[in-house]
Amino acid sequence: MASRKSERLINLTMALLATRRYLSKSEIFRTVDGYTGTDEAKERMFERDKDDLRRIGIAIEVRSLDPLFEDEPGYRIHPESYSLELGDLSGSEIAILSLAAQAWRGAALGASAQSALVKLHSLGIESDFDSLPALSPKVSVDSTNFLPLAQAVSDRTRVSFTYLSAELIQEKRNVEPYGLGSRKGIWYLVGRDLSRDAIRTFRLARILDDVVLERGSGIFSVDPDFDVLEFLDSHLFVERALARVRLRIGKGHALRNGAAILSSDGEFDLCEISYQNQDRFIDQVLWHGEDAVVDSPPELRDRVISKLNDLVRAHD
Amino acid sequence: MTSQKPSAGLDDAARLLDLVPFLLSHQGISIADLAKQFFVTPEEITSDLTTLWMCGLPGYTAYELIDLSFDSGFVTISNAQTLNRPRALQRNEALALLLGLETLLEEIDSSNTILSSSIIGLIEKVSAKVGESAALRVKAGSPAASAHRAKISEAMDSRALLKISYHSSAHDEVSDRIVEPLEFSSLNDMEYLEAFCQSSNGFRTFRMDRIISAQIHQGVEMPPKIDSTMTEPSTIAFSLRVLDRARDVFERFSLSSIIQLSLDSSKEIPAQSFSAEWTLREVMSLGGAAAISSPESLRSEVRERALRTLAGYSNPSY
């Protein structure tokens, strides 16, 4: 049954692709193999087939055959809309696209990347990997919500999901998803939280259930120039501050990355370190215990001292 | 894409349409290789080919039908010019390529201007298939990633040993190790390397962004000596109370299984880790948001360490 159906879909696609003029329904039923039964049954079959082909991305064009009598529509598929059009591609461009597809191995869009790769390899252009340096990029996103969220973002469809709040409460959120982006390997959803009427950022890993796409709620609007990475940069990493921290010599590797050593007293290096988020920076300094001592700014130093006192109190 | 359930056989039809241009550009491919390319079994591919053989243009005589031969286990195709071009990229496919290209662009050496301009050119072409504004709204930024992945993959493929320089976070030390790389894994969007570490004679997991350098090791290849003592690193058990920043505490100690518990700062929550040092540092880093209840040795060590650290602040600042 399934193979009869796919046979008919292939035959229909081929007939509509090969024709230079629009075919009427009666011509299709007469010539394309697979349309059987009563007129009504054929009609139903054809409508279903058109929807199915649209679902796999094949657009059937409809045009009135006779401008005076609009009741006789004609159908065809334009080869340009049917086929992969990325302009002329060189062997090294095919190789670059292959690497881009391979970046998804084992991750959320793995199946889509693989089917894209099959299409690219069907162009009959030999990949030229020799022109490229050894590269092996990797997109790290594990969340099964990635694909539905990407669809919701590009369709501008409202979503709802359960989110783990900072207080560890599971909350239902209704969001107009504006964008999906990653920084430092962590994926975020940015959107308008409808109950709070404010733009919020959500980590994908903190979404606890399957995202529901609220298709019935219509399409929302979003600034066409909204750039998700610019938004993340200006909201997640707002501060750009400098701290002076004494780091024990031979220790504090994670903090030393990009730091400048101002002086050294044989036991400690005095380092100047830039950071983007004070809370996270304090966590990092505390992680290093007695190997990292904040000198300035005084406000940062005071916050670290107060947290150390909290630690002592909590472990009395 | 829509909530309506697609008809049975639709995936098959899509695969059949994609098979034709692939076969036209890979004449003589074996059924086994073809099945692998399309992620189906050789039986399914054979059934696909049998279906395709019945398809063609109106008329459906030998002149119009697709001609296939695959009895020998190798496939050739002819008379299928109508379907010679691969189908247009679907939105998900274009999106996968686009995000892959963006990741690639972040990883290459920016001084390689020829390569980066090729990648940017392709990003423009593929963006047009996703829709320009949608492309701005789903975007891969700088990965946590590692510049060493290519070298590590190469070692995996050739079963070579690697010499890596690794920053162990728990001990805040950089050490050189000889490892046999086994596979990449990921957890919470972080990427890890699973390897047999010859230096510590056991299986170890390395966070990719903490690998400082990786080189193929030109030493003698030795088979791993596996004995029963090194299967699992030993775990230590402890308990803690959550005083503040509950989500941070739960995420750091992977306590997600007891997320349902109502939060009560007097409640002692059992936890496990692989390293006492790591546990100490995590608790320190939480700055009083979590308190160790037991064992007593771990609890007093946090206190001592906090006091020693405070002593560093008794000196006036520079």
Side-chain angles (χ1 to χ4, degrees), chain A residues 116-157:
Chain A
L117 200 53
V118 165
K119 289 176 177 177
L120 290 166
H121 287 164
S122 302
L123 289 169
I125 303 165
E126 200 69 44
S127 316
D128 174 14
F129 281 100
D130 294 343
S131 62
L132 303 181
L135 288 165
S136 178
K138 169 92 173 121
V139 182
S140 288
V141 50
D142 301 328
S143 171
T144 51
N145 281 319
F146 184 80
L147 189 52
L149 283 173
Q151 281 169 355
V153 166
S154 66
D155 293 346
R156 287 178 285 139
T157 305

Coordinates of all heavy atoms in Angstrom, one line a residue, chain A residues 116-157:
Chain A
A116 N 20.8 16.7 4.0 CA 21.4 17.8 3.2 C 22.7 17.4 2.5 O 22.9 17.7 1.3 CB 21.7 19.0 4.1
L117 N 23.5 16.6 3.2 CA 24.7 16.1 2.7 C 24.5 15.2 1.5 O 25.2 15.3 0.5 CB 25.5 15.4 3.8 CG 27.0 15.2 3.7 CD1 27.6 16.5 3.4 CD2 27.5 14.5 4.9
V118 N 23.5 14.3 1.6 CA 23.2 13.4 0.4 C 22.9 14.3 -0.8 O 23.3 14.0 -1.9 CB 22.0 12.5 0.8 CG1 21.5 11.8 -0.4 CG2 22.5 11.4 1.8
K119 N 22.1 15.3 -0.6 CA 21.7 16.2 -1.7 C 22.9 16.9 -2.3 O 23.1 16.9 -3.6 CB 20.7 17.3 -1.3 CG 19.3 16.7 -1.0 CD 18.4 17.7 -0.5 CE 17.0 17.1 -0.3 NZ 16.1 18.1 0.3
L120 N 23.8 17.4 -1.5 CA 25.0 18.0 -2.0 C 25.9 17.1 -2.8 O 26.4 17.4 -3.8 CB 25.8 18.6 -0.8 CG 25.2 19.8 -0.1 CD1 25.8 20.1 1.2 CD2 25.2 21.0 -1.0
H121 N 26.0 15.8 -2.2 CA 26.8 14.8 -2.9 C 26.2 14.4 -4.2 O 26.8 13.8 -5.1 CB 27.1 13.6 -2.0 CG 28.1 14.0 -0.9 ND1 28.3 13.2 0.2 CD2 28.9 15.0 -0.8 CE1 29.2 13.8 1.0 NE2 29.6 14.9 0.4
S122 N 24.9 14.6 -4.4 CA 24.2 14.2 -5.6 C 24.5 15.2 -6.8 O 24.1 15.0 -7.9 CB 22.7 14.2 -5.4 OG 22.4 13.3 -4.4
L123 N 25.1 16.3 -6.4 CA 25.4 17.3 -7.5 C 26.5 16.8 -8.4 O 26.7 17.4 -9.5 CB 25.8 18.7 -6.8 CG 24.7 19.5 -6.1 CD1 25.3 20.6 -5.3 CD2 23.7 20.0 -7.2
G124 N 27.2 15.8 -8.0 CA 28.2 15.2 -8.8 C 29.5 16.0 -8.9 O 30.2 16.0 -9.8
I125 N 29.7 16.9 -7.9 CA 30.9 17.7 -7.8 C 31.8 17.0 -6.8 O 31.4 16.7 -5.7 CB 30.6 19.1 -7.3 CG1 29.6 19.8 -8.2 CG2 31.9 19.9 -7.3 CD1 29.0 21.0 -7.7
E126 N 33.0 16.7 -7.2 CA 34.0 16.0 -6.3 C 34.4 16.9 -5.2 O 34.8 18.1 -5.4 CB 35.2 15.7 -7.2 CG 36.1 14.6 -6.6 CD 35.4 13.2 -6.6 OE1 34.8 12.9 -7.7 OE2 35.5 12.5 -5.6
S127 N 34.3 16.5 -3.9 CA 34.7 17.3 -2.8 C 36.2 17.4 -2.8 O 36.9 16.4 -3.0 CB 34.4 16.7 -1.5 OG 33.1 16.2 -1.5
D128 N 36.7 18.6 -2.6 CA 38.2 18.8 -2.5 C 38.6 19.2 -1.1 O 38.6 20.4 -0.7 CB 38.5 20.0 -3.5 CG 40.0 20.3 -3.5 OD1 40.8 19.6 -2.8 OD2 40.3 21.4 -4.0
F129 N 38.9 18.1 -0.3 CA 39.3 18.4 1.1 C 40.7 18.8 1.2 O 41.1 19.4 2.2 CB 39.0 17.1 1.9 CG 37.6 16.9 2.3 CD1 36.8 16.1 1.6 CD2 37.1 17.7 3.4 CE1 35.5 15.9 2.0 CE2 35.7 17.5 3.7 CZ 34.9 16.6 3.0
D130 N 41.5 18.5 0.1 CA 42.9 18.8 0.2 C 43.2 20.3 0.3 O 44.2 20.8 0.8 CB 43.7 18.3 -1.1 CG 43.6 16.8 -1.1 OD1 43.3 16.2 0.0 OD2 43.8 16.2 -2.2
S131 N 42.2 21.1 -0.2 CA 42.4 22.6 -0.1 C 42.1 23.2 1.3 O 42.3 24.3 1.5 CB 41.5 23.2 -1.1 OG 40.1 23.0 -0.8
L132 N 41.7 22.3 2.2 CA 41.3 22.8 3.5 C 42.3 22.3 4.6 O 42.8 21.2 4.5 CB 39.9 22.3 3.9 CG 38.7 22.6 3.0 CD1 37.5 22.0 3.5 CD2 38.6 24.1 2.8
P133 N 42.5 23.2 5.6 CA 43.2 22.7 6.8 C 42.4 21.6 7.5 O 41.2 21.5 7.3 CB 43.4 23.9 7.6 CG 42.3 24.9 7.2 CD 42.0 24.5 5.8
A134 N 43.1 20.8 8.4 CA 42.4 19.8 9.1 C 41.4 20.5 10.1 O 41.9 21.2 11.0 CB 43.4 18.9 9.9
L135 N 40.1 20.3 9.9 CA 39.1 20.9 10.8 C 38.1 19.9 11.1 O 37.8 19.0 10.4 CB 38.4 22.0 10.0 CG 39.2 23.3 9.7 CD1 38.5 24.1 8.6 CD2 39.4 24.1 11.0
S136 N 37.5 20.0 12.3 CA 36.5 19.1 12.7 C 35.5 19.8 13.6 O 35.5 19.6 14.8 CB 37.1 17.9 13.4 OG 36.1 17.0 13.8
P137 N 34.7 20.7 13.1 CA 33.8 21.5 13.9 C 32.8 20.7 14.6 O 32.5 19.6 14.1 CB 33.2 22.6 13.0 CG 33.2 21.8 11.7 CD 34.4 21.0 11.7
K138 N 32.2 21.2 15.7 CA 31.1 20.4 16.4 C 30.1 21.4 16.9 O 30.5 22.3 17.6 CB 31.8 19.6 17.5 CG 30.9 18.9 18.4 CD 30.5 17.5 18.0 CE 29.7 16.8 19.1 NZ 28.4 16.4 18.6
V139 N 28.9 21.1 16.6 CA 27.8 21.9 17.2 C 27.3 21.1 18.4 O 26.9 20.0 18.2 CB 26.6 22.1 16.2 CG1 25.5 23.0 16.9 CG2 27.1 22.8 15.0
S140 N 27.5 21.6 19.6 CA 27.0 20.9 20.8 C 25.7 21.4 21.2 O 25.6 22.4 21.9 CB 28.0 21.1 21.9 OG 29.2 20.4 21.6
V141 N 24.7 20.6 20.8 CA 23.4 20.9 21.4 C 22.6 19.6 21.5 O 22.4 18.9 20.6 CB 22.6 22.0 20.6 CG1 22.5 21.7 19.2 CG2 21.2 22.2 21.2
D142 N 22.3 19.3 22.8 CA 21.7 18.0 23.1 C 20.2 18.0 23.2 O 19.5 17.0 23.0 CB 22.3 17.4 24.4 CG 23.8 17.3 24.4 OD1 24.3 17.0 23.3 OD2 24.4 17.5 25.4
S143 N 19.7 19.2 23.5 CA 18.3 19.3 23.8 C 17.4 18.8 22.6 O 17.5 19.3 21.5 CB 17.9 20.7 24.2 OG 16.5 20.9 24.3
T144 N 16.4 18.0 22.9 CA 15.5 17.5 21.9 C 14.5 18.7 21.5 O 13.8 18.6 20.6 CB 14.7 16.3 22.3 OG1 14.1 16.6 23.6 CG2 15.5 15.1 22.4
N145 N 14.6 19.7 22.3 CA 13.7 20.9 22.0 C 14.3 21.8 21.0 O 13.6 22.8 20.6 CB 13.4 21.7 23.3 CG 12.4 21.0 24.2 OD1 11.4 20.5 23.7 ND2 12.6 20.9 25.5
F146 N 15.5 21.6 20.6 CA 16.2 22.5 19.7 C 15.4 22.7 18.4 O 15.1 23.8 17.9 CB 17.6 22.0 19.4 CG 18.4 23.0 18.5 CD1 18.9 24.1 19.1 CD2 18.4 22.8 17.2 CE1 19.6 25.1 18.3 CE2 19.1 23.7 16.3 CZ 19.7 24.8 16.9
L147 N 15.1 21.5 17.8 CA 14.4 21.6 16.5 C 13.0 22.3 16.5 O 12.7 23.2 15.8 CB 14.3 20.2 15.8 CG 13.8 20.1 14.4 CD1 14.6 21.0 13.5 CD2 14.0 18.7 13.9
P148 N 12.1 21.8 17.5 CA 10.8 22.5 17.6 C 11.0 24.0 17.9 O 10.3 24.9 17.3 CB 10.1 21.8 18.7 CG 11.0 20.8 19.2 CD 12.2 20.6 18.3
L149 N 12.0 24.4 18.7 CA 12.2 25.8 19.0 C 12.7 26.6 17.8 O 12.2 27.7 17.5 CB 13.2 26.0 20.2 CG 12.6 25.7 21.6 CD1 13.7 25.7 22.6 CD2 11.5 26.7 21.9
A150 N 13.6 26.0 17.0 CA 14.1 26.6 15.8 C 12.9 26.9 14.8 O 12.8 27.9 14.2 CB 15.2 25.8 15.1
Q151 N 12.0 25.9 14.8 CA 10.9 26.0 13.9 C 9.9 27.1 14.4 O 9.5 28.0 13.6 CB 10.1 24.7 13.8 CG 10.8 23.8 12.8 CD 10.2 22.4 12.9 OE1 9.3 22.1 13.7 NE2 10.7 21.5 12.0
A152 N 9.7 27.2 15.7 CA 8.9 28.2 16.3 C 9.4 29.6 16.0 O 8.7 30.5 15.7 CB 8.7 27.9 17.8
V153 N 10.8 29.7 16.2 CA 11.4 31.0 15.9 C 11.2 31.4 14.5 O 10.8 32.5 14.2 CB 12.9 30.9 16.3 CG1 13.7 32.1 15.7 CG2 13.1 30.8 17.8
S154 N 11.5 30.5 13.5 CA 11.4 31.0 12.2 C 9.9 31.1 11.7 O 9.6 31.9 10.8 CB 12.2 30.1 11.2 OG 11.7 28.8 11.1
D155 N 9.0 30.4 12.3 CA 7.6 30.5 11.9 C 6.9 31.6 12.8 O 5.7 32.0 12.5 CB 6.8 29.3 12.2 CG 7.2 28.1 11.3 OD1 7.8 28.4 10.3 OD2 6.8 27.0 11.6
R156 N 7.6 32.1 13.8 CA 7.0 33.1 14.7 C 5.7 32.5 15.4 O 4.7 33.1 15.3 CB 6.8 34.4 14.1 CG 8.1 35.2 13.8 CD 7.9 36.5 13.1 NE 7.7 36.3 11.7 CZ 6.8 37.0 11.0 NH1 6.1 37.9 11.6 NH2 6.6 36.7 9.8
T157 N 5.9 31.3 15.9 CA 4.8 30.7 16.6 C 5.1 30.7 18.1 O 6.2 30.4 18.6 CB 4.8 29.2 16.2 OG1 4.6 29.1 14.8 CG2 3.6 28.5 16.8

